[in-house]
Amino acid sequence: MALAVDRFELGPIGTNCYVVRASPEAAQAVVIDPGDDATQIHADLASRGARVAGILVTHTHFDHLGGIAGLAEATAAPVWVAETEAFVLERPDDVYAA
């Protein structure tokens, strides 16, 4: 059985975001790098009867971070990030201050 993988281009620079499910009918999905407002992802999954089981952040460049908080708050999904980069999610203003 092959995984179901959907790709979204999000944000002003079209950052790739992936939604991975065990099959097209699976009720749970992992969202990888929700780089901008995640409303589109959340709506797409809802239309398929699926929920976000987790959010994976591959790295903490600015273009990968925009939708994390909103998606996590809307779905209560855990966020997974490398321990060495977790501080960016905890204090993004310290890292990306102008």
Side-chain angles (χ1 to χ4, degrees), residues 2 4 21 27 34 36 38 46 52-53 58 64 66 70 74 80 85 94:
R21 291 173 288 142
D36 197 39
V52 179
T58 61
H64 287 236
W80 303 306
E85 295 192 54
D94 290 352

Side-chain angles (χ1 to χ4, degrees), residues 14-40:
T15 300
N16 289 320
C17 168
Y18 297 93
V19 175
V20 181
R21 291 173 288 142
S23 70
E25 300 81 24
Q28 296 184 345
V30 172
V31 177
I32 303 170
D33 294 331
D36 197 39
D37 179 5
T39 304
Q40 178 184 0

Side-chain angles (χ1 to χ4, degrees), residues 31 34-42 52 55 65-77 79:
V31 177
D36 197 39
D37 179 5
T39 304
Q40 178 184 0
I41 297 163
H42 195 236
V52 179
I55 301 164
L65 303 179
I68 295 171
L71 190 59
E73 289 171 8
T75 63
V79 177

Side-chain angles (χ1 to χ4, degrees), residues 1-2 7 9-10 14 16 19 25 35 38 42 44 46-48 71 76 79 82 85-86 90:
M1 168 175 40
R7 184 176 67 86
E9 292 182 19
L10 302 176
N16 289 320
V19 175
E25 300 81 24
H42 195 236
D44 182 73
S47 74
R48 298 170 191 254
L71 190 59
V79 177
E85 295 192 54
E90 294 164 359

Side-chain angles (χ1 to χ4, degrees), residues 52-98:
V52 179
I55 301 164
L56 176 64
V57 181
T58 61
H59 61 281
T60 55
H61 288 167
F62 76 94
D63 60 320
H64 287 236
L65 303 179
I68 295 171
L71 190 59
E73 289 171 8
T75 63
V79 177
W80 303 306
V81 63
E83 186 176 335
T84 56
E85 295 192 54
F87 72 95
V88 176
L89 298 184
E90 294 164 359
R91 300 184 61 121
D93 291 338
D94 290 352
V95 177
Y96 292 110

